[in-house]
């Protein structure tokens, strides 16, 4: 079994910063892409940022220049540094990790349970 555990959400004023963390544990042979998504009430889940195993990153236009995704392969962790936060960044944030659980097995996507980020104006 693979589990993802997120932390770091909370309440912050507009213009503030937060860093989210996500750690993967369990049966893991290899971790491929890692990413963060978010879902605001009444809206669809959307991509925030992704990072490949080689370190290539991709960001939603709405967060470019404000958010930074990074990973620590040894610790099986992915981070999302968020700065210049805006009220429209308020959402539940989910980490998503592409994992090969065992040698010769296929890749599967795993999701964290979500961590709430609330930005007050």
């Amino acid at each position: 079994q693979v589990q993802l555990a997120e932390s770091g959400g909370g309440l912050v004023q507009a213009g503030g910063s937060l860093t989210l963390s996500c750690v993967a544990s369990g049966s893991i042979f290899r971790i491929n892409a890692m990413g963060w998504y978010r879902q605001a009430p009444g809206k669809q889940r959307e991509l925030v940022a992704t990072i490949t195993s080689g370190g290539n990153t991709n960001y939603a236009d709405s967060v470019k220049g404000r958010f930074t995704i990074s990973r620590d392969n040894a610790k099986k962790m992915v981070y999302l540094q968020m700065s210049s936060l805006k009220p429209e960044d308020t959402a539940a944030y989910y980490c998503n990790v592409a994992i090969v659980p065992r040698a010769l097995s296929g890749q599967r996507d795993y999701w964290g349970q979500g961590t709430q980020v609330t930005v007050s104006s």
Side-chain angles (χ1 to χ4, degrees):
Q1 284 283 49
V2 173
Q3 282 135 13
L4 301 181
E6 298 137 333
S7 60
L11 174 63
V12 64
Q13 287 189 330
S17 300
L18 279 175
T19 297
L20 306 183
S21 302
C22 174
V23 59
S25 62
S27 174
I28 298 172
F29 175 71
R30 185 174 65 247
I31 297 178
N32 292 330
M34 308 178 87
W36 290 93
Y37 290 71
R38 67 186 181 186
Q39 187 168 18
K43 295 189 176 181
Q44 288 189 328
R45 190 172 296 189
E46 63 177 3
L47 180 147
V48 176
T50 60
I51 183 167
T52 68
S53 57
N56 294 318
T57 58
N58 179 55
Y59 296 93
D61 287 344
S62 59
V63 307
K64 280 181 182 175
R66 301 188 298 122
F67 291 11
T68 301
I69 189 170
S70 60
R71 60 191 286 168
D72 185 326
N73 292 327
K75 294 182 178 179
K76 300 184 179 64
M77 294 190 73
V78 60
Y79 307 94
L80 186 69
Q81 294 174 278
M82 306 182 293
S83 61
S84 302
L85 283 161
K86 305 175 181 179
E88 50 263 44
D89 293 319
T90 295
Y93 283 71
Y94 299 87
C95 70
N96 172 262
V97 181
I99 292 173
V100 178
R102 294 170 301 279
L104 304 181
S105 68
Q107 173 180 291
R108 287 186 55 190
D109 268 2
Y110 293 86
W111 291 90
Q113 79 286 355
T115 186
Q116 180 67 34
V117 172
T118 302
V119 184
S120 63
S121 56

